Amino acid sequence: MNKKMSALILLILSFHCWSVEQDWSASYLFESQGLYDKAIEAIRLPETELNGSSLVVNIDMQQFQNGNKAETVEWVSQMESILSTYEFTLMRIAWLHYQKRDYSQSIDEYRKVIKLNPESIDAQIALLSPLSRLNRWKEVAMVSCQVIESSPLSYQAHLFLMQAREKNKNWTALEDEARILIVKFPTAVDPWVYLGRALQHQHKIGDAINAYQQVLVRYPNNMEALRYLQSQS
Amino acid sequence: MDYLLRRLVGSFMVLIGAGMPVSADEIPWSGEIAVSYLTGIYSGDTIKDDLNGYGIKSKFKYLDDYDISVGYSRSGIAFDSDDYNNTLYQDAFQFEVSSHYFVDSVNGTLTPSVQFSKIGGNLSDSALGGLTYMGGILRYMSYEQNLYGDIHYSKSDYDLNIEVYQYDISVGGSLFGPANWGQVRLYDIESQSFDRRYFSADFLVKHWLSAYSLLSPDNIYFAFTLGDRLLAVDPDTLVIANLSQIQKQYIRAGAEWALPNQSHLSLALAYSEYELSTSGSDYSGTFLFLQYSKKW
């Protein structure tokens, strides 16, 4: 712990000044208007970088030491407030980049959060959306497996994993994954749809018909199931 | 001041992640291996009788960021004439490295690749000699996978001191929905040894089907080339037409079956007309290409 703290202090001493105020209301208002750049600007973070899982903030120590005490106390309070919401701010900036369709930027921001807090299931699941938008299915599968390992009941992670299996045309793995999810979430329709697809591509016609019939029980107008059953009638 | 500094450091410590690294079931590498067979017959004013060849190609992928592919193929043409009455073979080695960049400002993936190929053997010795090919291609695919483009430049050095330069550019995209794809590639091939530049355009249309039965293919395609080509390279497959003959027409049609367990079967039929650049005589070739590939 001492080693970590002294490393942090040294890093703090070596950087430059920042001053920032975050306006969360404005950020949400701009987002609702589709003004994502402004929404990001409203909650702009100080110049930071990640060193391992430690955060380095750029501060001018001379200004810190020479300023009058009231100003400095206010400045530290402001900074504490930002640091206390730092992880959430990064998550929100990542989300706003995703909304803006800057998917690579969004991935970078989510990865910062995961670096800061490797146990964040939120960030890992959120990361799956921009990865899938970029068709980075191998990484989608890897991150999904990581989430499932630490949170086996994460429905979203299972869904993304099935999507990755489908895009990689790994039908046997998709079938296995869908069957696991059907047991865990028996009322859900998605696992039955994916099971139907997996069986269909493996030409297990009887089983595929059964799977699509299960889909229609849960979602009577599902076009994919109707088309398949019609093709086999 | 020390108190403030300690307070600040305390805030930082809240942000230090204490989580343990998580292992995943997935490995970052994936691969693909493909074996292929090619056969063909010639007719018309030529001493060539038939063509047979086989190839093997491996592709390794690290995450969705890097690809390396290596390939080897051996093909032989049987001749039937007073001068030649045997089969001449050639061996081709291929190598390609690609890196994928996800660029938000162009809403797509940019993939620069470096390509290398070497062809040798007695078939090439009987014509223009063996060759060394080096090329570069920059590919673009939109995030939605409905728009494609590439630009390719290559240089082929033949043993008989002939240097061939090829420039080509492609544009492709979805046609009337995601189940159809259309693509055009424009070729410009030139060499100081040629009497002119060779321009051609290659058109491709592909359609994905809903494969409900084992016999139903996953996709079918049709392609044809307009214009003349000489010593051309296909920048996608790295197949090099290294015989001294002008390709006048080239039509091909194919289908691909998606088999269980991440394997694919491809079948293609092709017809091509040629003109010997030296004698001006015409002949044609009909080819069958079969490929089985498996991913893991």
Side-chain angles (χ1 to χ4, degrees):
Chain A
M1 180 66 98
N2 285 338
K3 208 172 173 185
K4 259 184 183 175
M5 190 176 283
S6 54
L8 275 172
I9 294 167
L10 282 173
L11 288 164
I12 291 165
L13 290 173
S14 61
F15 288 93
H16 302 288
C17 177
W18 63 270
S19 168
V20 65
E21 273 185 77
Q22 291 176 306
D23 188 342
W24 290 91
S25 302
S27 177
Y28 287 111
L29 181 66
F30 287 134
E31 183 192 1
S32 68
Q33 295 168 343
L35 301 169
Y36 303 117
D37 281 329
K38 287 188 172 181
I40 292 168
E41 184 60 25
I43 51 168
R44 184 171 67 87
L45 284 165
E47 271 184 48
T48 55
E49 57 186 271
L50 286 167
N51 187 345
S53 59
S54 305
L55 180 72
V56 180
V57 181
N58 304 334
I59 303 165
D60 183 342
M61 282 309 294
Q62 201 160 6
Q63 185 177 330
F64 185 83
Q65 282 161 349
N66 293 345
N68 73 51
K69 187 156 185 181
E71 276 176 1
T72 311
V73 168
E74 190 190 331
W75 178 82
V76 168
S77 299
Q78 198 184 64
M79 188 164 174
E80 275 183 321
S81 159
I82 286 170
L83 291 175
S84 68
T85 58
Y86 190 87
E87 186 178 336
F88 181 75
T89 308
L90 277 181
M91 284 290 284
R92 178 157 171 74
I93 288 173
W95 163 249
L96 290 167
H97 280 296
Y98 177 77
Q99 293 274 76
K100 225 185 117 192
R101 299 163 68 111
D102 285 346
Y103 301 125
S104 296
Q105 189 67 42
S106 175
I107 288 168
D108 289 346
E109 299 296 334
Y110 282 129
R111 285 202 168 130
K112 280 184 199 167
V113 180
I114 294 167
K115 215 169 169 184
L116 268 178
N117 177 8
E119 289 186 36
S120 169
I121 298 290
D122 259 2
Q124 289 180 54
I125 289 176
L127 173 64
L128 292 167
S129 294
L131 282 176
S132 63
R133 289 287 186 155
L134 299 185
N135 303 298
R136 294 166 75 159
W137 298 110
K138 187 71 188 169
E139 286 168 84
V140 169
M142 289 187 74
V143 176
S144 301
C145 285
Q146 283 173 353
V147 175
I148 290 166
E149 193 167 297
S150 57
S151 180
L153 292 178
S154 169
Y155 185 73
Q156 276 176 296
H158 280 287
L159 269 187
F160 274 109
L161 183 57
M162 288 196 296
Q163 215 178 338
R165 299 294 190 222
E166 183 192 19
K167 297 293 180 183
N168 288 326
K169 300 188 175 179
N170 193 344
W171 306 116
T172 48
L174 177 60
E175 181 187 345
D176 293 345
E177 185 59 29
R179 288 193 189 283
I180 289 170
L181 212 55
I182 282 166
V183 173
K184 288 180 176 171
F185 299 92
T187 58
V189 67
D190 304 302
W192 285 106
V193 173
Y194 279 107
L195 180 64
R197 284 180 199 168
L199 295 167
Q200 173 195 327
H201 282 95
Q202 294 175 84
H203 307 290
K204 297 178 180 173
I205 297 169
D207 289 344
I209 289 173
N210 287 341
Y212 279 122
Q213 281 170 342
Q214 291 284 348
V215 171
L216 292 182
V217 169
R218 289 160 180 78
Y219 195 121
N221 294 324
N222 183 281
M223 288 302 291
E224 183 179 327
L226 288 170
R227 271 198 206 122
Y228 184 75
L229 294 174
Q230 202 175 6
S231 75
Q232 298 302 326
S233 61
Chain B
M1 207 58 79
D2 283 349
Y3 159 73
L4 287 170
L5 201 58
R6 277 202 300 277
R7 205 173 126 186
L8 208 54
V9 171
S11 300
F12 279 118
M13 296 313 288
V14 172
L15 289 162
I16 297 171
M20 290 168 62
V22 186
S23 65
D25 290 332
E26 291 277 318
I27 55 165
W29 286 94
S30 54
E32 182 176 1
I33 190 157
V35 287
S36 57
Y37 175 70
L38 172 69
T39 186
I41 49 167
Y42 296 98
S43 57
D45 192 5
T46 178
I47 57 168
K48 289 178 192 166
D49 201 10
D50 59 52
L51 164 76
N52 283 289
Y54 59 88
I56 184 163
K57 200 167 187 176
S58 285
K59 188 174 183 178
F60 302 95
K61 202 175 169 87
Y62 180 74
L63 293 174
D64 300 289
D65 297 330
Y66 305 101
D67 300 341
I68 297 174
S69 75
V70 287
Y72 166 75
S73 64
R74 182 173 175 81
S75 54
I77 294 180
F79 291 86
D80 185 14
S81 77
D82 296 337
D83 299 328
Y84 288 117
N85 195 8
N86 57 3
T87 301
L88 299 181
Y89 291 96
Q90 74 172 23
D91 302 291
F93 298 91
Q94 303 171 350
F95 179 72
E96 181 167 355
V97 183
S98 305
S99 176
H100 304 281
Y101 297 93
F102 302 89
V103 185
D104 293 337
S105 54
V106 294
N107 189 47
T109 310
L110 291 175
T111 307
S113 306
V114 178
Q115 304 171 327
F116 173 82
S117 182
K118 180 110 183 138
I119 295 180
N122 52 18
L123 175 58
S124 52
D125 291 344
S126 72
L128 298 166
L131 73 93
T132 304
Y133 161 90
M134 290 191 80
I137 184 165
L138 177 66
R139 297 182 174 94
Y140 166 81
M141 176 65 90
S142 67
Y143 289 155
E144 294 79 15
Q145 296 193 320
N146 57 6
L147 188 64
Y148 172 82
D150 70 43
I151 184 161
H152 166 256
Y153 169 73
S154 67
K155 181 187 172 201
S156 302
D157 279 311
Y158 288 78
D159 290 347
L160 295 186
N161 287 329
I162 296 172
E163 291 177 350
V164 180
Y165 299 91
Q166 178 174 312
Y167 313 87
D168 52 80
I169 185 165
S170 301
V171 180
S174 294
L175 295 174
F176 314 113
N180 304 301
W181 185 264
Q183 194 167 312
V184 183
R185 174 169 280 149
L186 303 173
Y187 287 86
D188 173 9
I189 306 169
E190 52 191 80
S191 168
Q192 285 186 334
S193 308
F194 295 170
D195 55 349
R196 64 185 173 97
R197 289 166 74 176
Y198 288 87
F199 295 102
S200 60
D202 191 58
F203 299 87
L204 166 81
V205 181
K206 196 169 188 174
H207 175 66
W208 280 268
L209 301 118
S210 300
Y212 288 141
S213 71
L214 189 61
L215 292 176
S216 173
D218 177 64
N219 64 72
I220 51 175
Y221 69 85
F222 175 74
F224 63 96
T225 305
L226 293 178
D228 296 345
R229 300 200 300 186
L230 180 59
L231 303 178
V233 181
D234 181 331
D236 295 327
T237 60
L238 289 188
V239 170
I240 302 174
N242 59 323
L243 296 179
S244 179
Q245 53 201 9
I246 301 167
Q247 193 170 34
K248 306 289 286 183
Q249 275 187 39
Y250 185 33
I251 302 169
R252 57 205 186 277
E256 188 176 72
W257 285 263
L259 305 175
N261 301 322
Q262 291 188 285
S263 53
H264 286 83
L265 188 68
S266 301
L267 178 71
L269 273 169
Y271 171 81
S272 188
E273 285 189 357
Y274 302 100
E275 179 188 302
L276 281 176
S277 54
T278 47
S279 64
S281 58
D282 292 334
Y283 69 98
S284 64
T286 307
F287 307 98
L288 175 75
F289 177 77
L290 191 65
Q291 179 175 277
Y292 173 80
S293 66
K294 163 108 180 108
K295 285 183 186 172
W296 70 87

